[in-house]
Amino acid sequence: MDLGMKDRVALVAASSKGLGYAVAEALAAEGAALLMCARGEAALRESAGALRQKYGGTVIDVAADLTEPTGVERVVRAARDQLGRVDILVTNTGGPPPGRFETHTPATWDQAVRQNLFSVTNLARAVLPGMRERRWGRIVNITSIAVKQPVDDLILSNSVRAAVTGFARTLANEVAADGITVNNVMPGYTRTERLEELAGRVAERKGLPHERRYDVWNDEIPMRRLGEPHELAALVAFLASAQASYITGQSIAVDGGWIRSLL
């Protein structure tokens, strides 16, 4: 299937590693021009270089902190100046720290909201005028299975990513007539550095040895294994494509069947 990305420009947030990098690679493989951004300049430069070398396309990298409006402005301005526009926006953020409600201060909540909600709304605000003018655009937000079935010890993620879901579902209706789709993908337990951190906490809490740290999740997942980043990236690439023009306002899980609800 031709996803129709050879003339498209994609901005992928937090794309130096993990899910963001997998998405950037999937889009590069389809021929999209990329702007990759992340806070860590060295890792970002290395990741962008790897994709340029592997796929030979246009890949630029801009180090920025997207929790700050100035960081969002710098990234979007670079995309316009160097690539001409942004057709595809993939929002992605690191997860907020785990912990129960009483362990988090007001400052921790504020940081989680800025990192996981305001970075999304600010990026969307910055790219939507151009998408509306061209009457074509794709916004895909990477959220979490936690918005559908809350995960113990992740009250910040459960709360703030749910807010992103409400924002995206409402925005989808507002921009649908302009040829812009807005969707969310909900990764399940996927093999990333973030999951390694969470697995260590779960193993410690349950008294499991380190080598069995994934056993609890593997037992809960009908496929009996963790997801791989490229499996989520394949869905993001499809939702960002010309072929997904009639899919909007959806939140789709990539979780091996972990979520038990009917809808």
Side-chain angles (χ1 to χ4, degrees), residues 106-243:
T108 309
W109 278 93
D110 180 70
Q111 175 63 21
V113 170
R114 289 193 293 114
Q115 175 177 310
N116 296 104
L117 175 60
F118 289 167
S119 66
V120 174
T121 59
N122 287 337
L123 281 166
R125 182 181 294 109
V127 302
L128 273 172
M131 290 180 175
R132 277 187 160 125
E133 182 180 346
R134 294 183 298 276
R135 300 193 63 76
W136 200 98
R138 301 285 184 267
I139 298 175
V140 183
N141 307 301
I142 299 177
T143 60
S144 169
I145 51 172
V147 307
K148 192 89 168 183
Q149 187 172 312
V151 177
D152 291 345
D153 208 37
L154 292 183
I155 192 167
L156 292 176
S157 184
N158 296 342
S159 302
V160 183
R161 293 193 192 278
V164 174
T165 304
F167 162 73
R169 185 62 191 88
T170 308
L171 181 65
N173 287 352
E174 294 182 4
V175 301
D178 298 314
I180 302 164
T181 67
V182 184
N183 292 290
N184 305 315
V185 294
M186 302 182 295
Y189 293 109
T190 308
R191 201 179 299 277
T192 63
E193 292 180 9
R194 162 74 166 174
L195 194 69
E196 179 72 21
E197 174 192 354
L198 295 177
R201 287 179 60 93
V202 171
E204 181 180 354
R205 190 169 68 244
K206 294 182 177 293
L208 295 173
H210 184 72
E211 60 271 15
R212 293 185 54 203
R213 64 196 181 280
Y214 295 126
D215 285 3
V216 173
W217 293 329
N218 287 337
D219 289 344
E220 292 177 351
I221 300 168
M223 287 191 174
R224 296 296 185 265
R225 67 173 179 86
L226 301 180
E228 300 295 337
H230 71 85
E231 294 176 305
L232 178 120
L235 174 61
V236 175
F238 177 72
L239 291 174
S241 74
Q243 303 294 344

Side-chain angles (χ1 to χ4, degrees), residues 18 23 249:
V23 169

